[in-house]
Amino acid sequence: TLGQLKRLNEGQHFLWKIRYGLHLIAKRREDRLLFDYQKNLAEILGYEDAAFTLGVEQMMQRYYRTVMELSRINEMLLQQFEEAILLNPNAKPKNINNSFQVKNGYLQVAHSQIFEENPSCLLEIFLLLQQEEKIIGVSAYTIGLIKRNLYLIDDAFRQNPKNHRLFLEIIKAPQGVTHELRRMNLYGILGLYIPAFGRIVGRMQYDLFHAYTVDEHTLFVVSNLRRFALSRFDHEYPHCSKLMQSLEKPEIVYLAGIFHDIAKGRGGDHSELGAIDAEAFCLEHGMSEYSSKKVAWLVKQHLLFSMTAQKKDISDPSVINEFSKIIGDKTHLDCLYLLTIADIRGTNKNLWNSWKGTLFYDLYNLTKRALRSELDDPIDREQLIVEKKSESLELLSKSSINMKDIIDIWNLHTEEYFIRYSANEIAWHTEKLTRNDNFKNGFIGVREHTNNESIQIVVYTPQLMRTFVATTGILDELGMNILDARIVPMNNDFSIDTFIFINNDNENQVDKKTLEKIKSKLSAFLKNTEETKIQISRRASRKAKHFSTKPEVIFKTDKNNNRTIIEIITKDHPGLLFKIGSIFTRLKINIETAKIITIGERVEDVFFVVDEFNMPLSKNIIAQLKDALIQNIN
């Protein structure tokens, strides 16, 4: 048609401008829209930064929308060729209802005025595709007809109760939910039916964290939730599958997935703005007030679970007690847990790892336990320590270690040790400490953490050695990505320090040769104790060089544990933890726990620290520390 020809010409003209600009920037033939060129290209083409959207993001949104439109036209043309050349033109159509029929396996309209006569058919067609398993797809002519009738999706269409029922039936369907949502997005239906979704179609975020456009990410999140709901995928995430399949109304989580990022790019808190959109949509579609508010709550709190797990010390009972009060009940916990995992897995394929899975699972179980109690502070420190000791003894009973030796070792541990380490870790440490001369001379232990996807290294040394600097420096130099660090002093002037890490390239395993090199370098340092011998020569990634993040250092007082919490936000680069650790060492600041969070090109690391007298940092030390960090970490 003339309309399709016009869109093809417009798309070609835009892509030629992009290609010509790329050639100017690269000063050679370059037909790849690489990350390195995008910002300069946007400037050449005249895109300017707006209040809530960068110029490069505006250009890339137009690029993605253009490619989507060309992809849609391409699908129609190829299908038209197939229908004309390969399929039987004289095949008799089979009527499904008064509006649709199937010919040669493709769904098509009964006549060309069907959408004008009954606009609801623009939604019904996707429900039929879910219900009729033998349908291959939509005929080329019908796709073109859908495109020409998109103008029918107006306010009256969106307010029609019949369309509300159809949309909810699509969301609740036993199969084909993600597939048809993707098709609705490709044909332009979804963005018109939910105008807020239309604004995020093709929208990208110019960073190294978000790998997909917002609409693609959103549909990946729904897809991940659907996989939890289908028993054939139970082997992937058994715990998530069990929870998802036990939900009475899984559509609540799907709708939360659709709306969780829908307000991106508007300014303000996208979680709060999206929650307002979600509740209004659900109420308008006839859902109960309780269900509507639950969807809105999930959208508003969709970052809460991951931020608590990754930025707070979840070994602290007061953190769990406070978190459980926000959650309220197990149903909200289950839904938020599922949405969080689906969200992270749908953001960037490199974000998810077994360590994160274990961290989230631990927070889920601790919160579930707290929710079962009717006490104001359901998780009691003393009770938790007793339980961990009991579990550790059960694990140690399988070994030949003398009970007296175990008690002697445990008497040197503080309460904080038993709070911060799991029963499995306590048993491992105890076994190492009772072996040979490890207790007197110190030791370095390495083992796979979970599912062979991360490594745990424990260093037992005199406290004066301050192994955080050495260990982070050595791991960084050898290309490791540190996820977590715990520094726990003992009563014999030693400390047990634990670091969990993976490869920087996110490969599942760290080879034995590299592990031996880590142990060797760390042993050499511990014998020498000269920090100057550690040099970080690894270079920053090529893409990271395109960003600059103004460093921020935020201080809070943790009154429950009598310590200071420091959050450091800055651009990620090799040797960062080594620099931070060196500054802490110079100012005699002791790290108790460190949460290492890398978000694309930036880090948001959290440190729980005390001064040399095991007290929160004074105002004077805080001032010195802030100046030193700002000057050295950028």
Side-chain angles (χ1 to χ4, degrees):
T1 67
L2 289 175
Q4 290 169 351
L5 180 61
K6 181 183 176 184
R7 289 195 297 274
L8 274 173
N9 285 331
E10 287 173 349
Q12 183 188 51
H13 179 69
F14 177 71
L15 292 180
W16 277 0
K17 280 174 68 178
I18 293 280
R19 184 170 182 255
Y20 184 69
L22 284 171
H23 291 188
L24 288 177
I25 293 169
K27 297 180 180 178
R28 59 181 169 80
R29 176 173 176 168
E30 178 55 86
D31 298 336
R32 299 167 299 166
L33 186 50
L34 296 177
F35 190 85
D36 308 52
Y37 304 136
Q38 291 171 12
K39 201 168 184 179
N40 286 344
L41 183 59
E43 291 174 4
I44 287 175
L45 296 179
Y47 290 91
E48 297 179 356
D49 294 349
F52 306 118
T53 312
L54 298 175
V56 64
E57 293 172 343
Q58 297 167 42
M59 180 195 74
M60 292 304 295
Q61 183 168 28
R62 184 174 174 192
Y63 168 79
Y64 285 121
R65 287 186 172 186
T66 300
V67 170
M68 276 182 72
E69 180 67 23
L70 294 176
S71 175
R72 182 161 48 220
I73 295 172
N74 186 57
E75 179 190 347
M76 287 168 54
L77 288 172
L78 291 174
Q79 200 164 302
Q80 210 156 18
F81 293 150
E82 183 181 0
E83 291 170 11
I85 300 169
L86 301 176
L87 301 179
N88 179 9
N90 300 316
K92 189 176 179 181
K94 176 189 173 184
N95 290 329
I96 294 180
N97 56 30
N98 293 332
S99 304
F100 295 100
Q101 53 189 212
V102 178
K103 182 179 176 180
N104 289 319
Y106 287 94
L107 187 64
Q108 63 183 31
V109 291
H111 57 84
S112 60
Q113 283 78 43
I114 197 68
F115 294 127
E116 292 172 300
E117 292 176 4
N118 184 7
S120 294
C121 287
L122 286 166
L123 285 180
E124 185 185 357
I125 190 170
F126 300 100
L127 184 60
L128 289 174
L129 286 163
Q130 289 176 316
Q131 294 170 343
E132 302 290 332
E133 292 182 16
K134 293 182 180 179
I135 294 177
I136 301 171
V138 183
S139 73
Y141 175 76
T142 303
I143 296 172
L145 202 61
I146 289 171
K147 183 68 181 174
R148 291 195 294 276
N149 285 278
L150 288 177
Y151 72 92
L152 295 169
I153 305 177
D154 54 14
D155 285 341
F157 183 98
R158 287 186 281 267
Q159 291 164 11
N160 188 331
K162 182 181 179 181
N163 296 333
H164 297 164
R165 288 193 297 273
L166 284 168
F167 186 81
L168 288 181
E169 280 188 70
I170 292 168
I171 292 293
K172 294 178 183 178
Q175 59 189 11
V177 176
T178 307
H179 195 273
E180 294 317 312
L181 285 175
R182 288 189 185 282
R183 199 194 302 263
M184 288 170 75
N185 190 36
L186 181 63
Y187 293 174
I189 300 282
L190 192 58
L192 286 170
Y193 188 68
I194 309 175
F197 190 91
R199 289 192 286 272
I200 62 168
V201 171
R203 177 174 174 75
M204 63 89 75
Q205 291 165 269
Y206 189 70
D207 56 36
L208 299 181
F209 181 65
H210 298 91
Y212 310 104
T213 57
V214 183
D215 59 316
E216 273 297 303
H217 159 69
T218 297
L219 296 175
F220 271 126
V221 172
V222 178
S223 174
N224 290 334
L225 290 166
R226 284 294 294 162
R227 290 176 83 88
F228 297 155
L230 301 173
S231 57
R232 66 178 180 270
F233 299 115
D234 284 358
H235 61 283
E236 294 180 347
Y237 296 90
H239 183 235
C240 292
S241 294
K242 183 180 177 182
L243 292 178
M244 191 73 194
Q245 291 162 30
S246 71
L247 294 181
E248 186 181 350
K249 295 182 177 180
E251 65 271 16
I252 286 175
V253 192
Y254 300 148
L255 287 166
I258 289 172
F259 279 89
H260 81 287
D261 274 352
I262 210 161
K264 284 255 175 109
R266 289 195 219 165
D269 187 331
H270 78 279
S271 302
E272 299 216 1
L273 294 172
I276 294 168
D277 288 353
E279 185 171 3
F281 181 87
C282 293
L283 288 170
E284 190 175 59
H285 280 65
M287 293 175 65
S288 69
E289 188 174 346
Y290 174 78
S291 293
S292 301
K293 286 188 178 299
K294 192 172 183 181
V295 174
W297 183 87
L298 287 168
V299 173
K300 184 177 180 180
Q301 305 289 1
H302 75 271
L303 298 173
L304 175 67
F305 196 102
S306 61
M307 288 300 98
T308 301
Q310 295 180 90
K311 285 194 170 186
K312 294 193 177 182
D313 184 359
I314 64 170
S315 66
D316 180 2
S318 64
V319 169
I320 302 301
N321 294 335
E322 181 185 343
F323 180 69
S324 66
K325 287 173 184 174
I326 299 172
I327 297 297
D329 59 52
K330 185 178 178 296
T331 307
H332 281 75
L333 173 65
D334 289 350
C335 291
L336 187 60
Y337 175 71
L338 292 166
L339 179 60
T340 302
I341 293 175
D343 185 16
I344 290 177
R345 289 185 56 239
T347 301
N348 187 319
K349 66 180 181 179
N350 295 326
L351 279 182
W352 188 256
N353 53 55
S354 67
W355 160 246
K356 207 163 280 188
T358 302
L359 196 63
F360 288 11
Y361 184 71
D362 288 346
L363 176 56
Y364 173 86
N365 282 327
L366 287 165
T367 308
K368 185 173 74 170
R369 170 180 171 166
L371 290 170
R372 284 199 298 259
S373 174
E374 295 180 357
L375 301 173
D376 289 337
D377 292 320
I379 296 187
D380 180 75
R381 285 174 65 94
E382 291 182 10
Q383 182 187 355
L384 196 61
I385 291 170
V386 169
E387 287 179 11
K388 285 189 180 181
K389 286 183 175 180
S390 176
E391 290 174 31
S392 302
L393 285 174
E394 189 175 339
L395 291 170
L396 289 166
S397 66
K398 299 170 186 176
S399 67
S400 57
I401 301 173
N402 187 294
M403 178 59 78
K404 182 181 180 302
D405 292 338
I406 293 173
I407 299 302
D408 287 345
I409 295 293
W410 284 8
N411 284 338
L412 291 172
H413 289 311
T414 61
E415 280 190 359
E416 288 302 312
Y417 172 84
F418 291 102
I419 287 290
R420 285 198 223 149
Y421 283 108
S422 68
N424 183 280
E425 290 169 321
I426 293 166
W428 180 42
H429 297 163
T430 305
E431 194 174 351
K432 295 283 285 183
L433 286 167
T434 54
R435 191 183 302 165
N436 303 326
D437 292 324
N438 283 348
F439 179 73
K440 291 180 182 177
N441 301 330
F443 70 85
I444 299 167
V446 178
R447 69 173 183 174
E448 291 168 345
H449 187 248
T450 48
N451 300 331
N452 305 334
E453 288 189 20
S454 60
I455 300 295
Q456 186 178 35
I457 185 166
V458 60
V459 184
Y460 170 72
T461 57
Q463 292 176 39
L464 291 174
M465 287 190 170
R466 294 178 178 266
T467 53
F468 181 87
V469 175
T471 309
T472 55
I474 290 166
L475 290 175
D476 198 342
E477 172 62 14
L478 294 175
M480 300 297 113
N481 180 15
I482 301 164
L483 305 170
D484 185 82
R486 281 166 288 172
I487 317 295
V488 184
M490 294 175 63
N491 290 326
N492 63 342
D493 294 327
F494 274 66
S495 72
I496 290 185
D497 306 343
T498 305
F499 301 85
I500 294 171
F501 60 92
I502 57 175
N503 267 329
N504 254 330
D505 55 11
N506 287 290
E507 288 183 1
N508 286 348
Q509 295 187 358
V510 180
D511 61 84
K512 290 183 179 179
K513 186 177 179 181
T514 302
L515 288 179
E516 286 303 318
K517 199 169 184 180
I518 290 169
K519 287 180 71 174
S520 172
K521 279 182 168 286
L522 197 50
S523 296
F525 170 83
L526 296 176
K527 289 173 185 174
N528 198 328
T529 73
E530 288 183 29
E531 290 177 27
T532 53
K533 288 188 175 288
I534 298 175
Q535 298 291 330
I536 312 295
S537 58
R538 190 172 58 83
R539 293 183 178 183
S541 73
R542 174 178 51 83
K543 290 181 178 179
K545 293 176 182 177
H546 295 275
F547 297 93
S548 60
T549 303
K550 185 179 178 181
E552 292 181 65
V553 184
I554 303 162
F555 294 88
K556 296 177 185 175
T557 301
D558 180 3
K559 293 180 180 178
N560 291 325
N561 297 288
N562 207 31
R563 61 189 179 183
T564 300
I565 302 172
I566 307 169
E567 182 173 6
I568 299 174
I569 302 168
T570 190
K571 180 179 174 180
D572 186 28
H573 61 272
L576 177 62
L577 288 175
F578 178 74
K579 289 180 187 175
I580 292 170
S582 298
I583 292 168
F584 284 166
T585 298
R586 178 160 53 83
L587 295 175
K588 297 181 180 179
I589 295 168
N590 296 317
I591 300 169
E592 290 188 347
T593 298
K595 296 278 189 176
I596 313 302
I597 307 172
T598 304
I599 304 174
E601 73 284 353
R602 62 188 245 147
V603 296
E604 296 182 4
D605 296 343
V606 182
F607 299 88
F608 301 80
V609 304
V610 292
D611 65 15
E612 59 182 318
F613 306 108
N614 289 322
M615 296 295 290
L617 305 187
S618 66
K619 289 182 179 180
N620 182 41
I621 292 293
I622 286 174
Q624 291 182 55
L625 177 60
K626 188 170 186 176
D627 287 345
L629 288 170
I630 295 293
Q631 289 175 23
N632 289 281
I633 63 175
N634 194 19

